[in-house]
Amino acid sequence: EAGVAQSPRYKIIEKRQSVAFWCNPISGHATLYWYQQILGQGPKLLIQFQNNGVVDDSQLPKDRFSAERLKGVDSTLKIQPAKLEDSAVYLCASSFPGAYEQYFGPGTRLTVT
Amino acid sequence: AQSVTQLGSHVSVSEGALVLLRCNYSSSVPPYLFWYVQYPNQGLQLLLKYTSAATLVKGINGFEAEFKKSETSFHLTKPSAHMSDAAEYFCAAFTGGGNKLTFGTGTQLKVEL
């Protein structure tokens, strides 16, 4: 069974530039999550999708972050414009609806200079 | 709100020694609890989970954890550490009401010869 796929694995950009991350969840997983993991901290949920609808985006900085999951499968997270404090690993996870167990992708390490 | 506390950001043990990583949660309602492991430049992998069945939970790679409601704890143990256990470990709690997985800040485990 293929796991959660993410790309790119690494990205370096300058502040005020834009960047996008892509995630393809495990087949059949209707629920998709984006987490931000800052160095030395645990992952923090940014947004949760159920199919193509947003369930929770209360911790998403909506002035600069956006995410979509148009067809209810893969998803894109965008940051525009990036700030230095956005340097982090962005993790995507997926699960069956209502399931407690989440499966994580390898993450995208973003460095903003 | 649910919170998860991991005591000790860094733990060092000798190969063959007992591993004990501590986790406490705060909740009036016992949540579902998880331990994840993260190897360098990889995503999170589920080690084990507690979902209100047996209080002693066995996971992969010889790890186990015991849920103690009276102590609001879910400590992770392994009788004999191996060099390959060196990684970062995260405790997480999921409460249905909050519909969110809350992570601790992580414990970096170092295994020395």
Side-chain angles (χ1 to χ4, degrees), chain B residues 6-51:
Chain B
Q6 291 184 242
L7 293 176
S9 59
H10 292 82
V11 170
S12 184
V13 300
S14 299
E15 191 174 33
L18 172 71
V19 175
L20 171 60
L21 304 182
R22 300 177 187 273
C23 173
N24 289 86
Y25 66 93
S26 69
S27 174
S28 58
V29 176
Y32 297 115
L33 296 160
F34 306 83
W35 276 100
Y36 283 87
V37 60
Q38 187 175 35
Y39 297 101
N41 299 314
Q42 295 186 28
L44 278 71
Q45 180 184 3
L46 182 67
L47 271 180
L48 49 79
K49 60 184 177 183
Y50 167 76
T51 56

Side-chain angles (χ1 to χ4, degrees), chain B residues 52-63:
Chain B
S52 74
T55 56
L56 182 62
V57 182
K58 294 187 184 298
I60 62 172
N61 301 339
F63 285 93

